[in-house]
Amino acid sequence: MKLGFLTACLPGLPLDEIADWAVAEGYQALEVAVWPSAGGRDFEASHLPVADFTDADEQRTRELLERTGLTISSLAYYENNLHPDPATRESIRTHLKHAIDTAARLGVDSVGTFIGRDPRLSVLQNLREGEKVLPELVEHAGERGVKIVIENCVMEGWHPDGYPGNLAYSPELWEWMFDLGFYLNWDPSHLMWIGIDPLETIEPYLDRIIHTQAKDVELFPAKRNRYGHFGIVDKGGDPWATGWWRYRVPGLGQVDWRRVIDRFHDLGYTGTVSVEHEDPVWGGTPEKVQQGLRIAHRTLSPLIEPQ
């Protein structure tokens, strides 16, 4: 196991600066954000120009990894691959293929994204649509020796009524996407607020968990009595408004990381545990984000690399 973090939390810093900081703080891997430079939403960044990745870009990236000793655990482009607008969907698919091609050039074995959802359709209608259009992405990746990993984020902010906007939130749906050839970027924080015990989902699906995102969650059950299980309805234009939970860096929420990492050790997991920093307390400036990453490192590193 290696400990890394997703670079999207530091969108304003170049990759070489992030890498130097990561090494100094004891991290071993980077999950590199590769959204288009035209992005700009929260928790998105463009740290490699995958849409026009040149030989010079490849050489610079390889030299950076050699100099720092870091590995790239995955390339991250988390978008809605079932977007209801055809032009937007095609743009997302095209950029995802660029990310896959770049991963293959760099010897990175996975690219992360979402299944997504067309909110105009029922879940079952989305599954049938996914069965038509998603296998071509899996084939594109497989031909290049790359696996597509899907994060089990609910993405309720993508749905106008706050229902799941990414159809990979439960083991039932994982099994559906595994049949299509996808793998899992396992994140316990999302499982906890929808009522699924993260520990119980590791062993049955270990052969499909090839990457892990370490994000914690802080729950406020008293507020659930007002909003219900799916959270606040009137988000006031803020898709991150949840109502009774908020995401934290590992160690500041209610995920039992000691038991999670012990279960991984026990079962022989050898992938990367990658901190996904979406903590509102330790956010807002690069300095605060970096302090949040230090807290996560102090929490996880003794468990991943026992002293």
Side-chain angles (χ1 to χ4, degrees):
M1 253 186 286
K2 290 184 177 180
L3 180 58
F5 65 86
L6 174 58
T7 65
C9 60
L10 293 166
L13 299 184
L15 185 60
D16 57 351
E17 187 173 335
I18 293 173
D20 287 337
W21 183 88
V23 169
E25 297 296 329
Y27 279 99
Q28 302 159 303
L30 295 176
E31 181 184 2
V32 178
V34 296
W35 275 263
S37 58
R41 295 179 296 183
D42 289 341
F43 309 116
E44 295 180 5
S46 180
H47 285 132
L48 282 177
V50 298
D52 53 358
F53 199 68
T54 66
D55 290 343
D57 292 322
E58 180 179 350
Q59 181 177 347
R60 280 193 295 269
T61 305
R62 290 186 179 278
E63 288 174 352
L64 175 64
L65 298 175
E66 184 176 356
R67 176 174 63 80
T68 60
L70 292 169
T71 61
I72 295 178
S73 63
S74 188
L75 300 186
Y77 176 56
Y78 286 89
E79 277 292 355
N80 185 353
N81 283 283
L82 294 178
H83 197 285
D85 176 66
T88 302
R89 184 190 292 188
E90 185 57 32
S91 175
I92 289 168
R93 290 170 65 85
T94 297
H95 193 75
L96 180 59
K97 289 178 180 179
H98 289 319
I100 291 166
D101 295 344
T102 300
R105 289 181 64 169
L106 292 172
V108 176
D109 65 4
S110 71
V111 171
T113 191
F114 290 136
I115 295 294
R117 176 179 183 170
D118 182 342
R120 304 169 303 179
L121 305 178
S122 71
V123 172
L124 288 177
Q125 287 172 321
N126 270 277
L127 298 185
R128 301 295 83 81
E129 176 69 6
E131 290 162 4
K132 296 176 185 176
V133 302
L134 296 176
E136 192 263 338
L137 291 173
V138 175
E139 182 178 351
H140 183 90
E143 289 172 348
R144 290 154 179 80
V146 176
K147 296 180 175 66
I148 300 178
V149 291
I150 305 295
E151 183 190 350
N152 57 284
C153 182
V154 182
M155 292 305 293
E156 71 286 346
W158 278 357
H159 194 286
D161 297 318
Y163 299 129
N166 173 39
L167 299 182
Y169 56 86
S170 69
E172 176 187 15
L173 291 165
W174 299 351
E175 293 168 3
W176 167 81
M177 71 181 192
F178 295 158
D179 285 343
L180 298 182
F182 292 104
Y183 291 79
L184 183 63
N185 193 359
W186 184 85
D187 184 331
S189 65
H190 306 296
L191 295 168
M192 289 193 67
W193 74 262
I194 64 173
I196 295 174
D197 182 349
L199 282 169
E200 295 303 314
T201 69
I202 297 175
E203 185 170 6
Y205 303 104
L206 187 69
D207 63 331
R208 307 299 289 194
I209 301 173
I210 63 171
H211 199 272
T212 293
Q213 283 188 332
K215 185 163 76 266
D216 218 325
V217 64
E218 188 175 11
L219 306 176
F220 306 96
K223 293 184 179 181
R224 187 176 58 206
N225 293 332
R226 170 173 171 78
Y227 298 118
H229 200 76
F230 293 106
I232 191 169
V233 172
D234 185 1
K235 297 178 179 293
D238 178 8
W240 299 100
T242 59
W244 70 276
W245 72 92
R246 63 178 180 175
Y247 298 119
R248 306 300 308 274
V249 293
L252 298 181
Q254 288 157 256
V255 174
D256 190 338
W257 293 104
R258 181 183 60 82
R259 295 186 66 197
V260 165
I261 301 301
D262 182 64
R263 185 68 55 87
F264 277 143
H265 279 301
D266 183 34
L267 296 172
Y269 174 77
T270 58
T272 295
V273 177
S274 178
V275 176
E276 184 184 20
H277 187 330
E278 295 181 353
D279 190 319
V281 177
W282 294 105
T285 68
E287 294 76 18
K288 291 184 73 175
V289 169
Q290 288 170 336
Q291 181 58 21
L293 290 170
R294 290 187 185 101
I295 293 168
H297 187 275
R298 288 200 298 267
T299 299
L300 295 173
S301 60
L303 304 173
I304 290 175
E305 296 183 19
Q307 303 299 313

